Amino acid sequence: MQLWVGLGNPGAKYAGNRHNIGFMAVDRIAADHGFGPWKARFQGQVSEGRFGSDRVILLKPETFMNLSGQSVRAATDFYKIPVEAITVFHDELDIAPSKMRLKHGGGHAGHNGLRSIHAHMGEAYRRIRLGIGHPGDKAQVANYVLADFAKADRDWIDDLLRGISDGAPALAAGEEQKFLNAVSLRTHPPRSSAGTHPERTAAPKPETQPAPEDSRTPMQKLADRFRR
């Protein structure tokens, strides 16, 4: 059994925020793969499903981001899930929009949701880091992550979420490279190789033959004019 956690803040006010892309990821997985309905449990929302023989519990903590670890701890205690079987989907400032990275363990890099999970569970869980970019000014970070994605972001968000959903069975099976490949196929699809045709060359224009040189004398030319 595995626990996949999407990080975000609850409520319609935050639904479109950059900080909520973790919620968006697990929502997409649940919808695409026929998971059960979301139910209120463990200070969050839970949906259960399977990828073959791999049972996966999806969790969206509703404790608000800074206390995400409370919900994660409650779920893991109930299901007896080890920290190594936890995967957390979260926004990542230090990765460009539309990019994604997979990581095991390590620090929380100031992310409050991860900081809370670290405090309750330690750091040996798997993270799916979903790039949202950086505003460029540290003072603007809070406003940036709590602002909605722009309309121009919709296409790449859809591609990224589709890729995550496509690769979810591989992720559950521990086939991480296959999962990454599935995401890449959506976010950076290979260009179709256009057939190359030999360059057509225009038919050569017929050469214009120079007019024959007129060898008549001036008197002959004058006489010929009067004969016409």
Side-chain angles (χ1 to χ4, degrees):
M1 183 186 300
Q2 300 176 43
L3 178 68
W4 291 5
V5 183
L7 294 187
N9 289 311
K13 175 183 177 181
Y14 302 100
N17 286 183
R18 294 181 177 92
H19 224 15
N20 273 41
I21 196 169
F23 273 13
M24 298 174 195
V26 293
D27 277 336
R28 189 56 179 263
I29 291 169
D32 287 353
H33 294 280
F35 274 53
W38 292 97
K39 297 179 180 178
R41 299 188 73 185
F42 313 120
Q43 303 175 63
Q45 293 289 322
V46 170
S47 176
E48 299 187 28
R50 288 183 178 275
F51 298 105
S53 61
D54 299 304
R55 184 182 176 193
V56 174
I57 310 297
L58 302 178
L59 172 65
K60 295 187 293 183
E62 292 190 312
T63 52
F64 286 91
M65 186 69 78
N66 294 7
L67 300 176
S68 298
Q70 293 181 7
S71 177
V72 174
R73 185 57 188 259
T76 55
D77 285 350
F78 179 84
Y79 290 111
K80 304 295 188 290
I81 296 175
V83 66
E84 294 83 6
I86 299 172
T87 299
V88 178
F89 297 79
H90 66 91
D91 57 301
E92 180 60 69
L93 287 163
D94 295 330
I95 297 176
S98 84
K99 305 292 185 182
M100 188 201 75
R101 299 288 184 272
L102 187 153
K103 179 181 178 181
H104 289 267
H108 53 67
H111 190 291
N112 288 331
L114 300 184
R115 190 196 306 272
S116 179
I117 296 172
H118 272 50
H120 286 272
M121 303 300 304
E123 49 81 30
Y125 54 91
R126 180 168 62 182
R127 304 98 187 268
I128 306 298
R129 306 164 68 203
L130 309 174
I132 61 169
H134 197 286
D137 180 356
K138 190 175 182 180
Q140 297 299 319
V141 165
N143 289 334
Y144 178 76
V145 299
L146 293 176
D148 285 356
F149 282 108
K151 289 182 179 180
D153 295 323
R154 289 177 181 172
D155 286 346
W156 72 254
I157 293 170
D158 187 59
D159 288 341
L160 180 60
L161 298 182
R162 283 174 181 269
I164 289 169
S165 180
D166 291 347
L171 186 66
E175 298 173 331
E176 293 180 351
Q177 189 57 53
K178 189 174 179 180
F179 166 71
L180 295 173
N181 290 343
V183 176
S184 181
L185 281 173
R186 286 287 189 179
T187 57
H188 299 91
R191 294 181 180 179
S192 58
S193 54
T196 55
H197 300 284
E199 192 175 322
R200 293 183 179 180
T201 55
K205 294 181 180 180
E207 294 184 9
T208 305
Q209 296 295 328
E213 186 177 348
D214 193 346
S215 58
R216 295 174 298 166
T217 66
M219 289 299 294
Q220 289 174 326
K221 290 178 182 179
L222 184 60
D224 288 341
R225 286 182 63 188
F226 283 106
R227 290 194 189 103
R228 293 176 184 172

